[in-house]
Amino acid sequence: MSSQEMNNMRIVLLGAPGSGKGTQAKKLMADKNIPQVSTGDMLREAVANGTRFGLQAKAVMDAGNLVPDEVVLGIISERLAQPDAEDGFILDGFPRTTQQALDLEDLLDEMGTPLDTAVLMDVDFDILLKRLTGRRTCSRTGKLLNVHFSSQEELDECSNAGGELIQREDDNEETIGNRLSVYRENTEPLIQFYRKKGKLLTIDAEGLIDEVYDRLTAALS
Ligand code: AMP
């Protein structure tokens, strides 16, 4: 893909919880000026806003289960109709079931803008666990950190700024275990789904954030 084409890309980031989809999507968004569309972030926003729908979703999310397909489809169709998604988007955390992948296909067909690629972010199970259990967000700067992997300097930066390291509610060990089995059962079949369509790219998503990002952009080019 040329850099012009890269600005128009419509991609899905596939991968287990903790594979770095959100981190890489944010980098790609900043770099290529294409929006990251994260159903997890949108659902967390609904929860934080205390809407009736958010309150219903909260219990499901806290347990690490999936909210119903029709709910996420509604969120996604509204989001992809926004003008900033016209020239491309990075889907992060959607689709998560075969039904969602089929719904996405129909939606993009209707819009006349088919998906270009699904990128599978491949990470070893032990590393996923460390990434998820160690994941924190700085309450002041919003920066994503990890108590196992971030340098002491980065962690100190947060406390020096007067912030605290906040853990996501669903990043406790019990919920993490469930999220990983939900991934295996419901989302892993999508690897084959996109492979059969000739749309699957796989990248090694272990190592430093910038190294993974280089592999991602190389795979997309
Ligand atoms: P994430 O931030 O992508 O890990 O998503 C956090 C939680 O939001 C998940 O564990 C689900 O409960 C819910 N969620 C996010 N995306 C979806 C989706 N595509 N389908 C169903 N539930 C979702």
Side-chain angles (χ1 to χ4, degrees), residues 20-28 36 92 135 144 209 213:
K21 300 184 296 295
T23 303
Q24 296 299 327
K26 284 192 177 68
K27 275 183 84 71
L28 210 49
Q36 169 203 21
D92 156 15
R135 180 157 73 178
L144 261 183
I209 292 171
Y213 186 67

Side-chain angles (χ1 to χ4, degrees), residues 61-78:
M61 292 169 75
D62 283 352
N65 293 323
L66 296 180
V67 305
D69 288 335
E70 58 276 16
V71 172
V72 272
L73 178 65
I75 295 179
I76 280 286
S77 13
E78 265 183 34

Side-chain angles (χ1 to χ4, degrees), residues 39-40 43-44 61 65-67 72 93-94 96 100 168:
T39 39
L43 287 164
R44 276 185 288 279
M61 292 169 75
N65 293 323
L66 296 180
V67 305
V72 272
F94 178 92
R96 257 178 158 97
Q100 291 180 14
R168 246 171 72 164

Side-chain angles (χ1 to χ4, degrees), residues 59-209:
V60 177
M61 292 169 75
D62 283 352
N65 293 323
L66 296 180
V67 305
D69 288 335
E70 58 276 16
V71 172
V72 272
L73 178 65
I75 295 179
I76 280 286
S77 13
E78 265 183 34
R79 181 63 188 88
L80 295 188
Q82 300 295 312
D84 67 332
E86 211 167 273
D87 293 332
F89 48 75
I90 308 149
L91 289 177
D92 156 15
F94 178 92
R96 257 178 158 97
T97 64
T98 304
Q99 186 57 52
Q100 291 180 14
L102 292 168
D103 289 341
L104 176 65
E105 226 174 15
D106 288 347
L107 180 66
L108 295 180
D109 276 353
E110 274 168 33
M111 295 167 72
T113 53
L115 189 76
D116 295 309
T117 308
V119 183
L120 173 63
M121 315 231 338
D122 194 24
V123 177
D124 195 68
F125 186 76
D126 294 349
I127 298 196
L128 286 179
L129 275 185
K130 272 188 131 175
R131 284 192 183 169
L132 289 165
T133 53
R135 180 157 73 178
R136 303 287 186 279
T137 307
C138 178
S139 61
R140 232 332 135 61
T141 63
K143 195 169 169 182
L144 261 183
L145 298 160
N146 191 298
V147 294
H148 302 305
F149 298 116
S150 302
S151 65
Q152 194 54 47
E153 212 177 7
E154 281 179 303
L155 296 170
D156 289 346
E157 232 172 60
C158 177
S159 45
N160 292 342
E164 270 178 65
L165 296 177
I166 309 286
Q167 189 170 26
R168 246 171 72 164
E169 297 228 10
D170 57 353
D171 274 347
N172 61 74
E173 282 191 29
E174 195 185 335
T175 308
I176 287 170
N178 189 41
R179 284 161 65 207
L180 291 171
S181 43
V182 166
Y183 170 76
R184 280 213 190 103
E185 197 169 314
N186 298 280
T187 313
E188 233 169 35
L190 297 186
I191 298 173
Q192 196 54 15
F193 178 94
Y194 286 116
R195 186 175 284 136
K196 274 197 192 148
K197 293 185 183 292
K199 293 202 172 180
L200 188 78
L201 285 175
T202 302
I203 61 161
D204 170 5
E206 289 184 12
L208 299 175
I209 292 171

Side-chain angles (χ1 to χ4, degrees), residues 4-33:
Q4 179 54 39
E5 280 172 310
M6 250 179 122
N7 290 337
N8 291 336
M9 68 186 158
R10 296 179 173 83
I11 66 169
V12 164
L13 292 184
L14 262 187
S19 59
K21 300 184 296 295
T23 303
Q24 296 299 327
K26 284 192 177 68
K27 275 183 84 71
L28 210 49
M29 170 166 74
D31 206 10
K32 310 290 176 199
N33 205 20

